[in-house]
């Protein structure tokens, strides 16, 4: 009986979700601001830490969570802004191989969810282009 329980326990543990952690770094187009992203993905979802360090040494620092659909990661960014205000904003990334491109658009709320309104999400004028990097603080 103990052997059967042990077998089920091992089987249960081995069938759990696989998590992949990737660290990213990006410099803004004007080379003044830097963004750091720690992203954990598993079976259609993601979460992680996201920080933007501005040229004037202030930061937006918080967490991201969301869903992966095809090559698009979309979710919310809950953070303490550089003005020391708690904020929640939509966030989206377009995946291209191992790289990520930050999306932009008109932010709003729909049924309590933070989203980009009416097809305004775009990746063409992306401020940050993320590339995998070694862990950085």
């Amino acid at each position: 009986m103990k052997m059967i329980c042990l077998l089920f326990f091992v089987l249960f543990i081995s069938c759990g979700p696989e998590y992949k952690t990737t660290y990213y770094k990006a410099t803004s187009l004007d080379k003044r601001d830097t963004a750091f992203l720690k992203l954990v993905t598993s079976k259609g979802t993601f979460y992680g830490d996201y920080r933007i360090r501005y040229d004037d040494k202030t930061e937006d620092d918080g967490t991201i969570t969301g869903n992966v659909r095809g090559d698009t990661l979309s979710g919310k960014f809950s953070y303490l802004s550089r003005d020391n205000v708690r904020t929640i904003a939509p966030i989206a990334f377009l995946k291209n191989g191992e790289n990520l491109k930050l999306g932009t658009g008109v932010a709003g709320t729909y049924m309590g969810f933070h989203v980009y309104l009416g097809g305004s999400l775009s990746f063409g004028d992306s401020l940050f282009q993320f590339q995998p990097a070694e862990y950085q603080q």
Side-chain angles (χ1 to χ4, degrees):
M1 182 65 179
K2 288 182 183 181
M3 190 61 138
I4 292 173
C5 290
L6 180 63
L7 179 64
F8 280 122
F9 180 73
V10 170
L11 183 62
F12 180 74
I13 295 287
S14 66
C15 293
E18 290 185 31
Y19 295 97
K20 179 181 178 194
T21 303
T22 310
Y23 297 93
Y24 293 93
K25 180 180 179 182
T27 304
S28 65
L29 297 177
D30 64 8
K31 307 288 185 212
R32 293 184 181 173
D33 306 325
T34 306
F36 301 93
L37 176 62
K38 175 186 172 188
L39 193 62
V40 179
T41 57
S42 176
K43 293 192 178 190
T45 62
F46 71 89
Y47 66 93
D49 300 318
Y50 182 48
R51 181 176 63 227
I52 304 169
R53 187 174 295 150
Y54 296 98
D55 185 43
D56 63 1
K57 307 296 182 215
T58 59
E59 291 182 341
D60 288 344
D61 190 8
T63 59
I64 59 173
T65 59
N67 297 309
V68 179
R69 289 189 185 98
D71 60 357
T72 306
L73 290 77
S74 59
K76 68 178 180 177
F77 177 32
S78 304
Y79 65 101
L80 183 62
S81 74
R82 62 190 193 173
D83 298 325
N84 207 28
V85 175
R86 283 263 168 226
T87 306
I88 299 175
I91 194 162
F93 300 97
L94 181 64
K95 190 170 186 176
N96 183 10
E98 286 293 312
N99 298 332
L100 296 174
K101 191 182 227 187
L102 180 65
T104 60
V106 178
T109 355
Y110 178 73
M111 296 179 64
F113 294 99
H114 299 278
V115 297
Y116 290 108
L117 298 177
S120 67
L121 178 60
S122 166
F123 297 97
D125 297 334
S126 181
L127 178 64
F128 292 115
Q129 312 259 341
F130 291 88
Q131 297 179 341
E134 295 294 317
Y135 178 73
Q136 296 193 12
Q137 186 62 330

